[in-house]
């Protein structure tokens, strides 16, 4: 394999055209994180796809799947089912995705996972001479630490150091992840938060019927969790916390995965694929809870806030950046006692004021605010003038130098 460029030299004709040729701009997103029960990455891609329909951009997804999954806007490449992943497929070769990208001939490519498809994106971009960006949706070393301990974490970090410097830009959703990516030696990092559909997730969707269908008492305090049933989500902490409260609170969880929660005050529901039903569940809860301490952003917490629901989360990771004292609590330690204390304290506060504050906070992250920022970053990469300068994150050696100078 020939050496991939760390800085691309762009010569595609449309990159230097004036605004009259904007209709020719074509973005290709490539990722394996696309399945029937996908989470935040799929919501981001769908929101971006819907937004781009109202712009001069054309958008195509390149994802692993079967021939039945292909549409005019989805190019499918071969992939084998990934065990215990609830629908994800993983390509065994990068060649088909590279060929698909070259056939599409996009103006810009974005890679949404760190595996074979990222290398396909880089090779395709090098052949087409177009910019290639990555979105760092998951903390790769931390993920492999959970699977195989410190040796696996070191191997994943070494792999990430080889992969990510090749991209023209690496987008990160939080400063928590920006620090981690900078420590991998990546220098071209831009802080790009995710967003929320504040028209879909709205307090007006609150429904007594949703509670009645679950057989919950009218006066029950509903604590809601939405997400993967996986060890890193620390669901046992939430189950223990609601047991400690023993005040009529019920923990309702919506998701899928290998470790569904159990407990006398727990109602575990399956994955909800209908966006309207999920939005009704969000708005019908009294508190949203999440005990994950390694979240890269915290999209579901943002959806809860848009629904006018206060949140109690860990202060660690991306969630610690999203949640403040106006919208709930970010507890200092991911322990049942801390969550029980936070939930008890929240009960003493004005629920109407909390709901309004949560909604106001989420409005700052509306997709209609966030996605235009992302498009300006794309235009900058394409050599066009953007109306706002992207916020960048300095590499590790510059941060160290600044710290010494304080």
């Amino acid at each position: 394999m020939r050496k991939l460029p760390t800085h691309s030299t762009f010569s595609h004709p449309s990159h230097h055209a004036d605004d009259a040729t904007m209709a020719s701009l074509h973005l290709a997103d490539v990722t394996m994180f696309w399945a029937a029960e996908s989470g935040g990455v799929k919501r981001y891609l769908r929101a971006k796809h819907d937004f781009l329909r109202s712009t001069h951009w054309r958008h195509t997804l390149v994802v692993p799947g079967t021939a039945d999954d292909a549409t005019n806007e989805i190019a499918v490449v071969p992939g084998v089912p990934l065990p215990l992943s609830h629908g994800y497929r993983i390509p065994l070769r990068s060649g088909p995705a590279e060929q698909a990208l070259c056939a599409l001939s996009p103006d810009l490519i974005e890679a949404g996972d760190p595996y074979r498809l990222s290398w396909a994106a880089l090779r395709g971009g090098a052949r087409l001479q177009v910019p290639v960006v990555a979105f760092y949706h998951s903390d790769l070393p931390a993920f492999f630490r959970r699977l195989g301990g410190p040796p696996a974490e070191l191997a994943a970090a070494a792999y990430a150091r080889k992969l990510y410097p090749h991209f023209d830009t690496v987008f990160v959703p939080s400063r928590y992840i920006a620090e981690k990516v900078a420590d991998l030696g990546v220098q071209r990092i831009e802080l790009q938060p995710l967003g929320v559909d504040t028209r879909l997730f709205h307090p007006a969707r609150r429904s007594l019927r949703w509670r009645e269908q679950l057989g919950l008492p009218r006066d029950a305090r509903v604590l809601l969790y939405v997400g993967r049933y996986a060890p890193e989500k620390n669901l046992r902490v939430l189950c223990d916390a609601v047991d400690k409260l023993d005040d009529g609170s019920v923990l309702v969880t919506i998701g899928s995965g290998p470790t569904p929660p159990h407990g006398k005050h727990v109602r575990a529901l399956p994955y909800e694929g209908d966006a309207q039903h999920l939005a009704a569940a969000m708005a019908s809860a009294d508190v949203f809870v999440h005990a994950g301490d390694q979240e890269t952003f915290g999209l579901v917490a943002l959806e809860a806030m848009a629904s006018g629901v206060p949140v109690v989360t860990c202060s660690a990771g991306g969630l610690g950046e999203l949640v403040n004292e106006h919208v709930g609590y970010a507890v200092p330690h991911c322990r049942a006692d801390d969550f029980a204390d936070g939930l008890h304290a929240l009960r003493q506060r004005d629920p109407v004021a909390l709901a309004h504050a949560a909604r106001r906070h989420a409005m700052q992250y509306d997709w209609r605010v966030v996605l235009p920022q992302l498009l300006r970053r794309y235009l900058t990469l394409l050599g066009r003038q953007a109306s706002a300068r992207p916020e960048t994150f300095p590499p590790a050696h510059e941060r160290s130098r600044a710290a010494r100078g304080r």
Side-chain angles (χ1 to χ4, degrees):
M1 185 187 82
R2 68 185 177 86
K3 181 176 175 60
L4 293 164
T6 56
H7 294 273
S8 298
T9 301
F10 311 132
S11 58
H12 196 283
S14 66
H15 299 160
H16 305 287
D18 59 25
D19 288 342
T21 64
M22 288 282 281
S24 65
L25 291 179
H26 181 192
L27 167 68
D29 267 285
V30 56
T31 184
M32 65 164 281
F33 296 143
W34 184 270
E37 297 186 7
S38 292
V41 176
K42 188 174 184 179
R43 293 208 291 284
Y44 158 67
L45 293 174
R46 277 182 164 169
K48 182 163 62 171
H49 188 80
D50 291 343
F51 179 80
L52 289 176
R53 286 176 176 170
S54 64
T55 71
H56 296 291
W57 288 78
R58 187 159 60 96
H59 187 216
T60 306
L61 297 172
V62 179
V63 297
T66 65
D68 293 338
D69 300 321
T71 70
N72 289 337
E73 297 169 329
I74 299 178
V76 171
V77 296
V80 298
L82 190 63
L84 304 177
S85 69
H86 291 265
Y88 287 138
R89 290 174 173 267
I90 186 166
L92 297 180
R93 297 184 299 117
S94 59
E98 180 186 344
Q99 293 168 12
L101 287 167
C102 288
L104 290 168
S105 191
D107 296 275
L108 187 145
I109 301 170
E110 180 172 310
D113 74 63
Y115 306 110
R116 290 191 185 277
L117 293 180
S118 274
W119 294 107
L122 288 165
R123 293 191 189 98
R127 286 173 60 181
L128 294 168
Q129 288 292 282
V130 300
V132 185
V133 303
F135 208 121
Y136 200 90
H137 288 290
S138 59
D139 186 348
L140 189 68
F143 174 75
F144 276 91
R145 182 178 67 242
R146 292 191 295 268
L147 290 181
E153 178 184 15
L154 289 173
Y159 171 81
R161 288 189 184 95
K162 291 181 180 178
L163 172 63
Y164 282 102
H166 290 299
F167 290 99
D168 295 286
T169 292
V170 178
F171 294 129
V172 293
S174 62
R175 289 192 171 276
Y176 163 73
I177 288 299
E179 291 271 2
K180 287 178 170 281
V181 175
D183 288 341
L184 292 173
V186 179
Q187 296 189 18
R188 295 178 298 279
I189 302 171
E190 291 185 15
L191 196 60
Q192 175 60 53
L194 298 176
V196 60
D197 184 343
T198 60
R199 291 171 293 189
L200 172 64
F201 293 95
H202 194 284
R205 296 188 183 275
R206 186 174 179 87
S207 168
L208 287 176
R209 186 182 177 191
W210 179 80
R211 291 172 171 243
E212 291 169 355
Q213 288 175 333
L214 292 179
L216 299 174
R218 280 181 173 262
D219 60 349
R221 187 193 193 199
V222 177
L223 316 178
L224 180 67
Y225 164 86
V226 177
R228 286 268 297 156
Y229 295 158
E232 66 270 17
K233 304 301 182 181
N234 299 318
L235 291 170
R236 185 69 256 165
V237 170
L238 299 179
C239 296
D240 291 345
V242 75
D243 284 345
K244 287 178 179 294
L245 285 171
D246 198 23
D247 61 354
S249 295
V250 179
L251 174 62
V252 177
T253 66
I254 300 175
S256 64
T259 58
H262 301 283
K264 63 179 180 178
H265 301 301
V266 178
R267 298 288 300 276
L269 305 179
Y271 174 87
E272 178 57 76
D274 186 297
Q276 303 282 341
H277 292 169
L278 181 61
M282 283 284 197
S284 302
D286 296 301
V287 186
F288 182 83
V289 289
H290 200 305
D293 57 0
Q294 296 177 348
E295 298 300 303
T296 58
F297 182 70
L299 187 57
V300 287
L302 195 59
E303 291 167 348
M305 286 186 273
S307 305
V309 176
V311 294
V312 178
T313 66
C314 285
S315 62
L319 284 169
E321 297 176 31
L322 273 182
V323 179
N324 58 46
E325 68 276 10
H326 302 294
V327 303
Y329 289 111
V331 301
H333 305 290
C334 189
R335 299 186 302 218
D337 286 339
D338 291 75
F339 269 87
D341 290 345
L343 288 164
H344 177 74
L346 195 68
R347 199 160 201 169
Q348 316 308 312
R349 295 173 61 181
D350 180 357
V352 176
L354 280 168
H356 285 303
R359 176 74 179 173
R360 285 195 303 270
H361 188 56
M363 290 296 293
Q364 301 174 70
Y365 294 89
D366 189 286
W367 284 121
R368 291 166 292 178
V369 174
V370 168
L371 289 173
Q373 296 172 352
L374 179 62
L375 291 197
R376 289 195 290 271
R377 290 181 162 95
Y378 288 161
L379 291 175
T380 298
L381 284 162
L382 290 166
R384 298 174 182 271
Q385 292 296 317
S387 59
R389 183 178 179 181
E391 182 179 0
T392 59
F393 195 87
H397 69 277
E398 291 183 12
R399 289 185 287 116
S400 299
R401 188 184 307 129
R404 289 194 298 270
R406 283 199 295 267

